[in-house]
Amino acid sequence: MKKCPNCGQKMPENAKFCSNCGEDLSKVETSPLAAQQIGYWKWIYRSWRYPMYSTDDAAPWYGIITLLWEDALLFIGMAIAGSSLANALFGIHIFGLFGAQITNLVFGLIVLLLLFQVVSILCSMVGHLFIFGTVRNFWYYVNRVTQASNCNTIVSVIAFICLLFTVNSGIISCGYNLFMLYCALFSIGSFVVALRGNPDNEPVIHDPFYGAVIYSASLAIAYALVFALFRVIVNF
């Protein structure tokens, strides 16, 4: 294997240029040494610069722990903002009457986001499997998708801060819009990973266009089921 001196991307021995940053690798010597595990925060920072970088040197728990703390920030922010808006619009007495419904709605949003992430990753794996004929384990794939969309670490923190400004409905609205951006970026990350080989020279078995179609179709069906479940939870 060759390691790019500019961005650190691992490349095949016969690679002349880095597929990640374009660096000339013709004079780079091959190295038989296995990559050392990168630290968590260094992995976060690297993913901002190179979202499609190899995740072979990342611990298998990096992806899932990142999603959990991002979700936790969004959940807490939405719960605080939702309670504040309900109190402002209906008053404390009316809010007390509908407290159970609001609690169910917040809980439903929590379940909805978790299912959205799991479903997106699974559908991405299906598309990748169709295109390349192979896919690595689930936790490794979680790392790849999370790294591809790791700018969401910044989005989730900013959204959380906006949702805490309960005295300003405009800032709260910005927080909710950032939540939607978070979901969109995660979808883009799972889509791109489905179409990209691992490593980059992984042989293609089926045309990526049809892999994208399979990914999109399976995602649409899965989302319909998830939203149906969400309505059941909210109305429970």
Side-chain angles (χ1 to χ4, degrees):
M1 298 290 290
K2 288 183 179 180
K3 185 175 182 179
C4 176
N6 181 47
C7 68
Q9 174 79 11
K10 293 187 295 182
M11 299 295 299
E13 295 181 5
N14 60 348
K16 298 184 182 297
F17 296 93
C18 176
S19 63
N20 193 54
C21 68
E23 181 75 9
D24 184 5
L25 303 180
S26 59
K27 297 182 180 180
V28 176
E29 297 182 355
T30 59
S31 173
L33 298 177
Q36 294 182 349
Q37 183 171 299
I38 190 174
Y40 177 71
W41 295 110
K42 187 174 181 180
W43 173 75
I44 291 285
Y45 173 72
R46 186 184 68 184
S47 68
W48 295 339
R49 298 185 62 194
Y50 309 108
M52 301 309 297
Y53 189 91
S54 171
T55 57
D56 289 339
D57 59 351
W61 55 269
Y62 284 0
I64 187 63
I65 199 68
T66 301
L67 294 180
L68 288 176
W69 71 255
E70 288 173 354
D71 290 353
L73 285 180
L74 294 173
F75 298 157
I76 294 171
M78 286 190 296
I80 294 174
S83 298
S84 175
L85 287 175
N87 283 329
L89 293 174
F90 304 111
I92 188 65
H93 299 296
I94 300 298
F95 175 71
L97 295 176
F98 296 96
Q101 288 84 345
I102 295 175
T103 301
N104 286 341
L105 178 61
V106 173
F107 177 73
L109 289 173
I110 294 173
V111 175
L112 183 64
L113 181 57
L114 288 173
L115 289 176
F116 160 77
Q117 290 169 329
V118 173
V119 164
S120 297
I121 292 172
L122 291 176
C123 292
S124 180
M125 293 178 71
V126 170
H128 187 91
L129 180 63
F130 176 82
I131 297 170
F132 300 100
T134 182
V135 65
R136 294 177 65 172
N137 67 75
F138 176 76
W139 299 115
Y140 178 83
Y141 209 87
V142 171
N143 269 11
R144 291 194 68 198
V145 174
T146 305
Q147 178 174 286
S149 58
N150 239 356
C151 53
N152 271 338
T153 56
I154 300 174
V155 174
S156 59
V157 170
I158 298 176
F160 173 72
I161 294 173
C162 290
L163 292 170
L164 292 182
F165 279 86
T166 56
V167 296
N168 190 311
S169 59
I171 298 179
I172 291 179
S173 177
C174 180
Y176 281 111
N177 289 332
L178 287 172
F179 172 76
M180 300 305 296
L181 175 63
Y182 176 95
C183 295
L185 290 174
F186 191 85
S187 294
I188 293 173
S190 61
F191 179 76
V192 172
V193 170
L195 303 183
R196 179 161 181 170
N198 182 44
D200 290 332
N201 61 344
E202 186 176 3
V204 174
I205 296 178
H206 297 104
D207 193 289
F209 172 80
Y210 295 107
V213 171
I214 289 177
Y215 165 79
S216 301
S218 60
L219 201 62
I221 295 173
Y223 281 177
L225 295 175
V226 167
F227 279 111
L229 178 62
F230 172 72
R231 293 185 63 181
V232 171
I233 293 175
V234 171
N235 295 327
F236 182 73

